[in-house]
Amino acid sequence: MRLLLSLFLSLFSLCVFAQVPAGYYDSAVGKSGSVLKTSLFNIISSHDEIAYADLWSAFYYTDQKSDGLVWDVYSNCNFSFGTYQCGNYTKICDCYNREHSMPKAWFNSESPMYTDLFHIYPTDGRVNNQRANYPLGECVNGGSVGTDALGKLGTSTYSTYTGTVFEPADEYKGDFARTYFYMVTCYEDKVASWSSDQLAGNSYPALSDWSVSLFLKWNTEDPVSQKELDRNNTIYTYIQHNRNPFIDNPELADYIWGDKKSISWNLSASLSEVAKSYINVEKTLTSVQINNPQSESYTYALIKAVGDICSKGETKQQNLSFNYSQLHVGIYLLTINSKNYLNTVKLIVSE
């Protein structure tokens, strides 16, 4: 409850999500391969740890869809926050739980990995049970636990690996690839002792050869989404105070494990280019500009803090401006809501 309250106060007082802080990755510039990975480890490994019980309230901010329901990457079930927490389950859509996408058995449930939000997601309990502790992979003829399930379990059909694997839905494969890149980088000093066919038993490359190839493929095929950008910023700003560099700069994986690992990495415009392809908000002292380059349909509402709706509508406009300097003195909230985006901007009008 303490985490829930502090997050609410922080989210209410901040106008727009923070982006990558200036200079955050400067110490990694000019490096490649294992040296680049170690540089990133030094940047992100020190972070705040939360209690396992607080993951439930953290999910409300890290994994909420625009309709207010739980964003479950393992199913299409409609879970409300709190009400459907596992608990017991017998079938899909009974409840959601706290899924360690890198199974906790691999690292013996040790901290701080045990509560690191960058690899823990709310997921349907039944599908989570099916996934168990198997590696992630591709299984052409795999099976699922129901029509609402996302992902399937079966024998690996990728590369040389022939064990049992869990294959996530296509729209989340990149998310999981970048999650695993983060885990073996953030815990470079520990990963050599972890046990799984997904891992190499060392600090570099840390991932098994077939896993490196698979995750590089997923990283390319499923680019960074607005969901990942928002989740990354939320975890950094309010909870752990570290970032997933492979969301900020997805090309880093190629410079560490891929065909660019002998080339020095330099900061690129990758994050800003990704951000520009989605709705974003720019605020000045007198106005708010909503930029929508893809003409995505979204709703908006300008609400005075006491509850009066001043303006609302639905539009696909690429550029929409609100000049709030002419409003009566008070505090206003501007909400923007689409399939891939949710943001609330606090506006203060003074005399």
Side-chain angles (χ1 to χ4, degrees):
M1 182 59 69
R2 289 193 302 272
L3 175 65
L4 186 65
L5 178 61
S6 63
L7 280 172
F8 174 80
L9 293 174
S10 297
L11 283 166
F12 184 81
S13 63
L14 194 71
C15 292
V16 182
F17 278 140
Q19 297 300 322
V20 182
Y24 190 79
Y25 292 115
D26 281 0
S27 61
V29 171
K31 299 179 175 63
S32 63
S34 62
V35 177
L36 175 57
K37 181 172 176 288
T38 298
S39 295
L40 295 173
F41 160 74
N42 290 329
I43 294 169
I44 67 175
S45 58
S46 179
H47 59 80
D48 292 344
E49 181 181 357
I50 68 172
Y52 187 62
D54 282 337
L55 290 171
W56 293 121
S57 54
F59 285 158
Y60 182 83
Y61 300 98
T62 59
D63 296 273
Q64 182 176 168
K65 295 188 293 185
S66 60
D67 58 7
L69 298 177
V70 176
W71 200 319
D72 177 3
V73 294
Y74 279 3
S75 83
N76 290 315
C77 303
N78 294 318
F79 295 124
S80 299
F81 282 95
T83 307
Y84 291 93
Q85 290 175 192
C86 292
N88 298 317
Y89 56 85
T90 57
K91 63 184 185 302
I92 192 169
C93 295
D94 275 351
C95 58
Y96 70 95
N97 55 19
R98 296 161 287 189
E99 160 70 324
H100 294 82
S101 64
M102 180 170 280
K104 58 183 180 290
W106 296 5
F107 51 81
N108 295 316
S109 300
E110 295 177 353
S111 295
M113 296 78 70
Y114 189 67
T115 60
D116 192 324
L117 271 163
F118 278 116
H119 84 114
I120 302 176
Y121 300 90
T123 62
D124 178 85
R126 180 67 184 90
V127 182
N128 189 354
N129 177 262
Q130 181 197 35
R131 186 272 161 102
N133 295 331
Y134 294 111
L136 299 182
E138 293 182 355
C139 50
V140 172
N141 296 314
S144 69
V145 295
T147 56
D148 285 313
L150 297 177
K152 54 189 178 181
L153 191 74
T155 300
S156 171
T157 53
Y158 183 81
S159 188
T160 59
Y161 188 67
T162 58
T164 301
V165 296
F166 180 79
E167 180 176 353
D170 289 345
E171 61 263 38
Y172 299 120
K173 285 178 177 175
D175 303 48
F176 286 116
R178 289 178 283 274
T179 292
Y180 274 51
F181 290 150
Y182 164 87
M183 288 297 289
V184 300
T185 300
C186 186
Y187 301 106
E188 181 176 274
D189 58 336
K190 300 177 175 64
V191 67
S193 65
W194 300 354
S195 178
S196 167
D197 288 349
Q198 198 101 71
L199 304 171
N202 53 35
S203 60
Y204 180 81
L207 294 164
S208 60
D209 289 344
W210 69 271
S211 297
V212 167
S213 175
L214 176 71
F215 292 151
L216 287 174
K217 180 169 85 76
W218 286 1
N219 188 45
T220 300
E221 292 176 347
D222 176 30
V224 173
S225 64
Q226 186 68 41
K227 172 188 185 293
E228 291 176 87
L229 293 173
D230 291 343
R231 198 175 196 274
N232 194 18
N233 285 326
T234 300
I235 294 173
Y236 168 73
T237 306
Y238 308 113
I239 307 174
Q240 293 186 183
H241 305 112
N242 71 332
R243 304 184 67 84
N244 182 338
F246 303 98
I247 294 174
D248 288 334
N249 300 281
E251 81 283 357
L252 276 166
D254 294 316
Y255 287 85
I256 296 174
W257 294 282
D259 58 7
K260 296 180 180 179
K261 61 185 177 184
S262 60
I263 302 173
S264 298
W265 174 73
N266 287 293
L267 280 168
S268 70
S270 59
L271 176 64
S272 60
E273 291 305 311
V274 168
K276 287 177 184 176
S277 67
Y278 294 94
I279 299 172
N280 62 82
V281 178
E282 298 175 4
K283 175 176 174 286
T284 71
L285 291 175
T286 60
S287 67
V288 175
Q289 175 77 32
I290 302 172
N291 302 305
N292 180 25
Q294 299 299 320
S295 298
E296 179 181 357
S297 178
Y298 66 95
T299 60
Y300 64 88
L302 180 61
I303 306 171
K304 197 168 184 179
V306 294
D308 297 331
I309 298 177
C310 303
S311 177
K312 67 177 182 178
E314 181 172 357
T315 183
K316 292 184 179 181
Q317 283 183 245
Q318 288 193 324
N319 297 285
L320 180 63
S321 295
F322 289 90
N323 186 329
Y324 63 91
S325 63
Q326 304 303 314
L327 295 174
H328 294 299
V329 172
I331 298 175
Y332 298 80
L333 301 176
L334 174 64
T335 64
I336 304 98
N337 193 346
S338 76
K339 179 180 179 181
N340 297 306
Y341 184 86
L342 175 65
N343 198 2
T344 298
V345 183
K346 180 182 177 183
L347 311 174
I348 300 175
V349 180
S350 56
E351 295 180 351

